[in-house]
Amino acid sequence: MKTTSTQREYFLDSIRAWLMLLGIPFHISLIYSSHQWHVNSVEPSWWLTLFNDFVHSFRMQVFFVISGYFSYMLFLRYPRVKWWKVRVERVGIPMVTAVFFLTLPQFIMLQFVKGQADKWHTLSGYEKYNTLAWELISHLWFLLVLMVLTSLGLIWFKNISARITEDRPGWTKNITLGKLSIVFLLLGVFYAAIRRILLYVYPPILSDGLFYFIVMQTLFYTPFFILGAIAFKHPSIKAMLTAPSRGCALGAVAAFVAYVVNQRYGHGDAWMYETEYVITMFLGLCMVNVVFSLGHRLLNFQSARVTYFVNASLFIYLVHHPLTLFYGAYITPHIASNTLGFISGLVFVIGIALALYEIHLRIPMLRFLFSGKPQTKPVVKTPVEKELQ
């Protein structure tokens, strides 16, 4: 086993947990937004639409930077094969568990909510496969992308970053947020070009669920994942990302305004989606600095309460989605006020998710299935042993 001494990054743990938990108000607000989802309120809310757009525009970009950071940290701690095994188990086992216990029942429920249960037998074999790909992966897509990125990380982490360091030992001194912004803007253009080429060459491929998640989503979030790994390897990059930047703050505001304008006035058959990817690639980098700098200043401390939510965040995120859809399908129609419905939805979903989390903590098999971590019996220590700790 490799040895590396690293200080606990409390603020990154907290940011990762809150980004995960932010998925709850994001999906509940989606019910009340002007965006079409599985379930929607009768009348959309402008402020919940704006809130939904804000969360959606940056949340996962920042999340994948943190994932790359911790992935590389563990890469230095374990042998390569063991690292891959541990990382894939930690995300793969909860994903498979959630498919059987959460998204499959969710899919069946939605078939009846949408009145499509009787139409299933009329679908072709490919239509059934593709429907299941979209519906069963559902909100678990980021776990699938993490498994792909982890597998690619076997090559990236061992060779690419090391080779750059060997060839240009002082290369990080020339990196600035301004230069990174240009790089990410160009990466957004590159991604948009790939999407547009696929749209011209073979449009149906972009509607294929597995292709979209495994290829397109992985391609989009790869720069953020690698940035996180580089930030761990080079403290100067991490310091740059955690130092407040007025330029990044202003860039984030301008990019979000552009994002909202594109959402309101863009046309799906034109360049709306390509424009969105360029904007969110740039916005994602700006928000990495905004979120990291705020988190480093406000969340860089140890707390039992924070630790609880850090540990609970994945489970709560996994179970919140079917709870949200159930709420939207069966409770939302009975609440006239969108704001009241949104607040009630938060109480309903978070309350049940926390109760389920506490129940699952008391069942070792469920703890394993929803965490991917082997469950060992706690070691009972004598008072003398406790004193020697």
Side-chain angles (χ1 to χ4, degrees):
M1 179 181 292
K2 304 176 185 178
T3 58
T4 179
S5 58
T6 56
Q7 186 177 358
R8 187 72 177 179
E9 304 286 3
Y10 294 112
F11 78 102
L12 289 180
D13 274 335
S14 295
I15 292 172
R16 180 174 56 179
W18 290 117
L19 288 173
M20 192 86 71
L21 295 174
L22 198 56
I24 300 176
F26 166 73
H27 284 117
I28 296 176
S29 66
L30 197 53
I31 298 173
Y32 299 99
S33 73
S34 59
H35 303 298
Q36 293 300 310
W37 200 38
H38 299 290
V39 290
N40 287 103
S41 59
V42 177
E43 293 292 335
S45 164
W46 71 266
W47 80 266
L48 286 172
T49 300
L50 189 64
F51 171 79
N52 187 266
D53 286 341
F54 175 69
V55 174
H56 185 258
S57 67
F58 76 92
R59 184 172 69 99
M60 295 312 297
Q61 296 95 306
V62 180
F63 175 84
F64 274 99
V65 173
I66 298 175
S67 296
Y69 185 94
F70 284 121
S71 291
Y72 192 82
M73 179 186 72
L74 293 175
F75 181 79
L76 298 180
R77 184 177 301 173
Y78 296 111
R80 291 177 66 195
V81 175
K82 184 176 181 181
W83 170 79
W84 181 86
K85 181 175 181 292
V86 169
R87 293 299 296 165
V88 170
E89 286 178 349
R90 295 287 172 84
V91 296
I93 293 175
M95 178 179 175
V96 173
T97 301
V99 167
F100 284 101
F101 287 98
L102 299 174
T103 58
L104 180 57
Q106 170 185 289
F107 167 69
I108 295 172
M109 178 190 72
L110 288 175
Q111 291 297 295
F112 289 97
V113 169
K114 297 179 179 180
Q116 298 177 349
D118 296 334
K119 300 178 181 179
W120 178 255
H121 70 280
T122 66
L123 301 180
S124 67
Y126 175 77
E127 288 173 332
K128 290 179 179 178
Y129 141 78
N130 200 34
T131 299
L132 289 174
W134 284 103
E135 298 294 340
L136 297 188
I137 294 176
S138 185
H139 68 299
L140 311 175
W141 66 268
F142 75 101
L143 296 175
L144 179 59
V145 172
L146 278 176
M147 285 192 286
V148 176
L149 289 173
T150 297
S151 299
L152 294 173
L154 286 170
I155 302 172
W156 293 337
F157 291 170
K158 184 66 177 180
N159 298 321
I160 296 179
S161 60
R163 191 169 301 166
I164 292 174
T165 305
E166 292 171 2
D167 293 347
R168 300 173 58 190
W171 71 279
T172 57
K173 296 179 180 179
N174 299 319
I175 299 296
T176 64
L177 284 172
K179 291 179 180 179
L180 271 181
S181 299
I182 295 174
V183 169
F184 273 72
L185 190 64
L186 293 175
L187 286 171
V189 173
F190 175 71
Y191 181 88
I194 291 176
R195 186 187 184 280
R196 179 54 59 164
I197 291 172
L198 290 173
L199 194 61
Y200 285 142
V201 175
Y202 188 60
I205 194 67
L206 294 175
S207 300
D208 186 280
L210 283 181
F211 179 84
Y212 177 76
F213 292 129
I214 295 176
V215 178
M216 300 304 290
Q217 290 289 75
T218 298
L219 186 62
F220 182 82
Y221 289 106
T222 288
F224 297 98
F225 188 77
I226 293 178
L227 177 62
I230 293 175
F232 182 87
K233 186 175 181 64
H234 301 284
S236 60
I237 301 295
K238 175 187 171 185
M240 180 181 67
L241 294 176
T242 55
S245 167
R246 182 177 298 178
C248 276
L250 294 175
V253 172
F256 179 65
V257 170
Y259 177 86
V260 172
V261 170
N262 185 57
Q263 288 287 313
R264 300 297 175 271
Y265 302 105
H267 195 283
D269 294 334
W271 292 80
M272 173 184 173
Y273 295 110
E274 286 79 6
T275 303
E276 177 181 323
Y277 289 123
V278 174
I279 294 171
T280 52
M281 186 71 79
F282 172 78
L283 175 59
L285 177 68
C286 292
M287 287 302 294
V288 167
N289 175 260
V290 172
V291 173
F292 275 28
S293 59
L294 287 175
H296 189 262
R297 185 174 64 181
L298 302 175
L299 301 174
N300 200 22
F301 60 89
Q302 186 177 13
S303 163
R305 185 176 301 174
V306 172
T307 300
Y308 176 86
F309 281 103
V310 167
N311 294 332
S313 60
L314 177 59
F315 179 90
I316 292 175
Y317 181 81
L318 293 179
V319 302
H320 93 277
H321 200 264
L323 291 173
T324 300
L325 290 171
F326 179 89
Y327 178 84
Y330 298 109
I331 301 179
T332 292
H334 302 288
I335 302 178
S337 168
N338 286 340
T339 300
L340 179 60
F342 174 71
I343 296 173
S344 300
L346 289 175
V347 174
F348 176 86
V349 173
I350 295 175
I352 296 178
L354 284 172
L356 292 174
Y357 175 70
E358 287 296 328
I359 293 172
H360 115 285
L361 285 179
R362 290 155 176 76
I363 306 174
M365 178 56 71
L366 287 181
R367 290 204 308 269
F368 167 70
L369 290 175
F370 280 98
S371 69
K373 300 178 183 179
Q375 302 299 307
T376 56
K377 294 182 178 180
V379 178
V380 179
K381 296 182 179 181
T382 65
V384 176
E385 289 175 322
K386 293 180 180 178
E387 283 293 327
L388 292 176
Q389 280 190 318

